[in-house]
Amino acid sequence: MDNASLSRKPSPTSEFGVDEIPEAVRDNPYPEAKPSQSQKKRLIWKLAGLGVLAFGVSIWLHLNFNFFPATSRAEQTEQNPAPASSASPSATSPVAKSTTGKSGPVTPDNLLGHLPYQEAPASDLVAVTPDGAVKLRSSAAAKYQDMVNAAAASGIYFAPISGFRSLEDQQHVFFDVKAERKQDVSKRAEVSAPPGYSEHHTGYAIDLGDGSSPDSNLSQSFENTPAFKWLEANATTFSFELSFPKNNRQGVSYEPWHWRFVGDRQSLETFYKAHSIKK
């Protein structure tokens, strides 16, 4: 054995000697591993799941056992006020009995089932009979003449009885005739309007008879005449309509002879919009 081999130091078996190992390493030779990123995510999802589960349980307890105190009704009303009512006027309008005992809408100007109308201006009145006794407003007169011509082409001849009436005319029709027939005002109002409340004041209304059946004039039997049958089928073509059909909402007696013109804005508003009358 040569000196070189004897003098060579043996290679160390470890990096440190026993005494040189740090104390922390000696006490915990297997240090705790830090959680990975995937483990952190799984932990977050578990916590979120537990939170959702707890919330669901609390809701279930509240719904089934009233576990939590409910908000008072007053607080609920204040927080969630009820929506404003959207009921239609017809559902909320007061209702009163008409002269015939039928229910009808109450309007501020309603009198014995009739509504107020202004007199037509004399400058706009046009005669529709040769003697000038029956007049209508110009727009109504023009359409009426067209209707007369169309009816005549079918062999139907109207007998115009009454058109525009002044307040004085209606005074006689209502009060004087009432006295002659010994009627009370309610009974008279079933067949005639008080002064200031007649459609005839407007110049848009006309009473018609059948030229071949004068006995039916101003009678409900007029509905059986050829003239009425023709009007029933064709009057709307010329913008005329029956004012007081059977069971009308104003409670006025059925008048098959009484027709009104609604062929322009002014006439339409007169009978519908201004007085809230619905057909």
Side-chain angles (χ1 to χ4, degrees), residues 126-135 144-145 158 160:
V126 176
V128 294
T129 56
D131 61 1
V134 179
K135 297 179 180 180
Y144 171 75
Q145 193 58 55
F158 299 133

Side-chain angles (χ1 to χ4, degrees), residues 7-200:
S7 61
R8 186 181 304 155
K9 295 181 180 180
S11 59
T13 58
S14 63
E15 185 178 356
F16 302 102
V18 174
D19 294 335
E20 295 176 348
I21 297 175
E23 183 178 354
V25 176
R26 290 202 307 269
D27 293 340
N28 189 10
Y30 303 102
E32 183 178 355
K34 295 182 179 180
S36 64
Q37 190 69 21
S38 61
Q39 289 175 327
K40 289 181 179 180
K41 289 183 178 179
R42 284 197 296 271
L43 179 61
I44 291 172
W45 280 110
K46 287 180 180 179
L47 292 175
L50 289 173
V52 172
L53 179 61
F55 179 75
V57 170
S58 66
I59 293 297
W60 182 82
L61 289 172
H62 174 67
L63 294 177
N64 290 274
F65 301 101
N66 198 22
F67 193 76
F68 302 103
T71 305
S72 67
R73 184 175 298 274
E75 292 174 339
Q76 291 176 349
T77 303
E78 184 177 353
Q79 294 171 3
N80 301 294
S85 174
S86 59
S88 64
S90 60
T92 58
S93 299
V95 175
K97 292 290 183 180
S98 70
T99 57
T100 59
K102 301 172 185 176
S103 295
V106 173
T107 66
D109 298 319
N110 183 298
L111 178 63
L112 298 171
H114 296 275
L115 298 165
Y117 298 102
Q118 298 293 324
E119 279 193 20
S123 59
D124 193 37
L125 295 174
V126 176
V128 294
T129 56
D131 61 1
V134 179
K135 297 179 180 180
L136 294 175
R137 294 192 70 154
S138 57
S139 57
K143 282 293 185 178
Y144 171 75
Q145 193 58 55
D146 291 342
M147 187 168 68
V148 167
N149 294 337
S154 299
I156 303 297
Y157 298 94
F158 299 133
I161 300 169
S162 179
F164 167 77
R165 289 185 203 150
S166 66
L167 288 169
E168 291 75 18
D169 294 334
Q170 198 66 26
Q171 176 85 12
H172 166 72
V173 169
F174 187 82
F175 288 108
D176 294 347
V177 175
K178 177 184 77 68
E180 291 173 5
R181 298 181 182 179
K182 298 181 180 180
Q183 296 172 318
D184 60 33
V185 291
S186 296
K187 189 66 176 177
R188 184 61 188 156
E190 292 179 11
V191 294
S192 182
Y197 291 80
S198 173
E199 289 190 356
H200 286 281

